[in-house]
Amino acid sequence: MKYTIAVPEYAPPEEGTNAPFSDIPLRYSSHRLFSKWQLLALGVIGVAIAISLVSAFTLTLKVGISLLSLVYLLDLLFGFFLIYRALRKDPELHISAEQMTRLKNKKLPLYTILCPLFGEAKVVPQFIKAIQDLDYPKEKLQVILLLEEEDDETIAAVKNSSLPRHFEVIVVPSGQPQTKPRACNVGLLQARGKYVVIYDAEDIPDPDQLKKAVVAFSHLPKEVICIQAKLDFYNRSHNLITRLFTAEYALLFNLTLLGLQSINGPIPLGGTSNHFRTFALRRIGGWDPFNVTEDCDLGIRLFTQGYRTAIIDSTTLEEANSQLLNWIRQRSRWIKGYFQTLIVHTRTPQHFFRSFRTIPHLATFLLVVGGKTIAVVVNPFLWALTLVYFLGPEEFQLFVKSLYLAPIFYIAAATWIAGNILNVLYYLLGVLQRGYPELVKFFPLVPLYWLMMSVAASKAFYQLLVKPHFWEKTIHGFHLEDQTKVRWRFLPERRYEKEANSL
Amino acid sequence: MKKKLIHSKDWGVYLVASIAVVAVLVADGWSYNHNLIVGYGDSASHLVISRRVIDNLTPGLGQLGSSWLPALHVLMLPFIWNDFLWHTGLAGTIVSNLAYIGAAIYGYRLVRMFIDSKSWALAVVISLFANPNLLYMSTTAMNEALYVFSVLGSTVHLLKWSRKPKQYLHLLIAALLAFLTAFNRYEGWFLVIGQAVVVYAVGWKQLGKRYGFAGAIVFAYIAWLAPVLWLGWNLLIFSDPLEFLHNEYTSRAQQSELEALGQLPTKGNILVAAQYYYAAMTNVLGRISTISLLMLVVLSPLLVVLLRRRFQKEDSYSDLLIGYALLIPGIFLVYTLFSGVTALHLPDLVPFRMYNIRYALFVFPALVFFAAYGIHLAYKIWRPLAVVCTLIIILGMTLTWTIPALVLEEGKENARSRTQSILAAAALRSQYDGGKILLDSRAPLLEAAGVGAGNTIMWQSQLPLKSFIHEGTQEIWERALANPASEAHWMILRNSPGVIESNDTVAAKVLDSEQILSQYDLAYKDGALEIYRLKKSY
């Protein structure tokens, strides 16, 4: 099999941009996190809180707790609203079999598939097979494998593979930041397709996904420049972590994002299976190489520039992270990226208000990207406070009670009870919507999963301050190792073998 | 799109809602003019409990708790702060009115699931919801209307879910309404357990065992939360999760007093218990309707089996299971009558008085379901038979207007028996010159009324509830019981020997103490009811 290795020339950032291989304007880049305005605002707020604490300690805490309680209440109501909308409206784009059969292969546009690979030698064969299985004319496909210059192992694995003719290989030159979005931007420079999609190395998309995306793009208004396929896992029964991870994805892609779509709100994209109109993606500057959750940032950025995302009824199967430390690494990167996105899109007040156009959209962004991320950091402290409140000395109970105005106390208590109950319920509904009733029995463990998130969030918060652009690499391929091992499990595993063998 | 919109809206819903609004407002007007908005003593207690959350020496949600489940009290909170709505009892009327209207809409939606014709369904629903007993309960601060609403609602959504079992919104709404049921009545606890089992069975039948289990988990997770939260709340407030079973004002405690008086004929005899409940049903729902309901309960499964070919794609077994769950509260009540936990008295049965006749309304949702289902079955057999069935149901419900509405009569009797409390409240109000009033709000202070008479006096006095020291005022109550003069300028208690004396905590503390009594003057006495005033020297 013939293939080429191309190293594009390194393009130094132009005036006003600061992203290698990208035209992304500085104001959208996470290269420098906080703007002067943000630092000033944070400084003023910090000093005000400090003075207030010194001069009126209890009152300051009362006001702070009241505000926090109201934010949690708002988040609770908004979350319920989104889930209700998703269940009621079914906003997902359904492409019928009839629409698919009407497609003529000759008229299909050229489609570019980007696949960034770093340390993914093990899953290369699996990826090649998955792409080969796509129901799309091969002559209309441009598959670009994006390798990193220093990643000898993957380069060797690709060299040793028999790549089909429509595959291209680009070795991305060494440089900083060494991130997935940087590689994607290199791929975007070389993309010739009308549409472009990004798949991770371990992905197995539905074979008809590209065709569905073509149909969807042709029926959707021009401002919809991104179609997000739903993500799911092929190794969901691997262990407890993968089961809970599957439940979380089921909730995210089958309810939360659909709820956001139903209100035409900003949608933080999932890391893979994002299909774009290529010209529009170039127009908005591609990915931010400095943002470690570039998908979330891109989803928000395209929204702020007047574009929209739609969710399609097609699924890409991925490998769920099955190792706790690996999971924490991956999650801490995601959360760090959410923080980056929050900071980038709130840099200046006038830009912030102008970009989101309406108050509901602005609030949606703050709650979905900001609120939920900050909540993951704050929640353990509040849980600890609640525990101490119930189990601690009476004096402490009285002190805590004294910090709440009576109505706020009830709001906080009701939000605490309803919030925890409903958030577990959403997981249940998510897995049912996804069609995994066997996962329902694990619902009592969801709070443990939240605890894992909080651990990752603490790490993310720390890294945001000390190494904001560091890319915590997720290791893939554990599911392949597992196929050759005799595994000891205490959970029923009937499904796993079937799934693994079908790969 | 426009065509679809028009098609998807059922004008019958608007018509039913409009008729329900008019009917319940007329009923309100009638009740108000006859001073029956707060007829039952229990309705006064419900109002007081709700008001105590905001108007109390120790306000807060901690006032909710003990014997009654709190749904009605919580739902009254947006209205009870208003003095007019509180003093007139209209705060409860608003909640019950809304519940009635919602119940009528759900009733119509339920009937429409079995009867295609809108006008036909309308006729059935109007005749069912024109029941005078239900209408009266919908004008007052009682929880029956709310119960009918939530049960009919959860049934409608369960039926919708059973038809499209992957549409989980209906299962979710059914579970939320079931939560409301279980947060409103203890009978609801058994109903929602039954409904969860039904969800399991229906889900299993429709989609397989795993889906059945998953559906039941989702339903139970929400619906069973009500009992769990209630147990937790009681643990938090009273340090006893089963306080509502253990305190001296429970149904069980009251019934033991009735037993001592020989007024618990249903205890120990399941047939007599069933007979009493049947008699209550015939009085409240009508004899023809009750017999029709029981016949349909027995015959429906047989007919479904015999006619299974005519049902084609319909899943009648799932429908029937959902319908049968509605009988659980009735069965539970018969069992409680048998075990002596509940009492039910009817004027034509021993002991020839009225008590708890409204409990027959707990099978009202079953009547709505089986009426619709019966007509549906008859339609499958022979269309004219469906017309006959409909006429029987309409006739049966119309005849309830020709017999005394015993639920209303019991309310009237309760109101009449309150002369003593009206006089006592008036005396207190006229003499009141400040200071706190100590009383056990749940105590049977009056000759005629049962427990909770203290609540009635508190409501009728129209004094701010902040003036009262009662068992819900925490440390102040403890301090006042230890040394009344230090906290209370007034004491209201029942001074009579007998089985119920022990239920008045204030009387039990005070009457044996010469020292305490010497600090107070007797300001008012009517029978055993006494009001004391602190001597000026103290």
Side-chain angles (χ1 to χ4, degrees), chain A residues 80 84 87-88 390 410 417 420-422 424-425 428-429 432-433 435-438 440-441 443 495, chain B residues 59-62 166-169 171-173 176 210-211 213-215 217-218 221-222 225 229 236:
Chain A
F80 188 81
Y84 176 80
L87 288 170
R88 179 99 176 85
F390 282 114
Y410 291 122
I417 294 170
N420 283 297
I421 289 165
L422 286 178
V424 173
L425 174 73
L428 288 175
L429 292 172
L432 278 178
Q433 281 287 99
Y436 296 149
E438 69 277 10
V440 161
K441 58 179 173 284
F443 83 95
R495 258 176 180 277
Chain B
L61 290 179
K166 288 202 169 177
Q167 286 196 358
Y168 295 103
L169 183 63
L171 185 64
L172 177 64
I173 298 174
L176 288 170
R210 284 183 311 164
Y211 273 98
F213 177 73
I217 290 281
V218 168
Y221 176 66
I222 294 296
L225 205 63
L229 284 177
L236 196 70

Side-chain angles (χ1 to χ4, degrees), chain B residues 301-314:
Chain B
L302 297 174
L303 290 171
V304 167
V305 171
L306 290 173
L307 299 169
R308 61 184 177 279
R309 281 190 186 166
R310 295 197 193 182
F311 281 101
Q312 295 168 345
K313 289 179 182 172
E314 286 179 35

Side-chain angles (χ1 to χ4, degrees), chain B residues 334-348:
Chain B
V334 171
Y335 174 75
T336 56
L337 289 174
F338 162 71
S339 61
V341 176
T342 307
L344 175 62
H345 295 158
L346 291 130
D348 48 355

Side-chain angles (χ1 to χ4, degrees), chain A residues 178-231:
Chain A
Q178 191 181 41
T179 57
K180 173 177 153 187
R182 178 171 173 269
C184 287
N185 284 333
V186 173
L188 186 59
L189 288 172
Q190 303 295 316
R192 300 192 308 275
K194 184 178 180 185
Y195 305 119
V196 59
V197 60
I198 174 166
Y199 289 127
D200 279 352
E202 84 280 13
D203 284 3
I204 304 177
D206 277 350
D208 59 0
Q209 192 174 104
L210 299 188
K211 283 189 174 175
K212 278 189 173 175
V214 169
V215 174
F217 273 128
S218 65
H219 284 80
L220 287 167
K222 291 289 178 203
E223 69 261 25
V224 180
I225 63 161
C226 177
I227 287 176
Q228 168 76 61
K230 295 189 289 189
L231 302 183

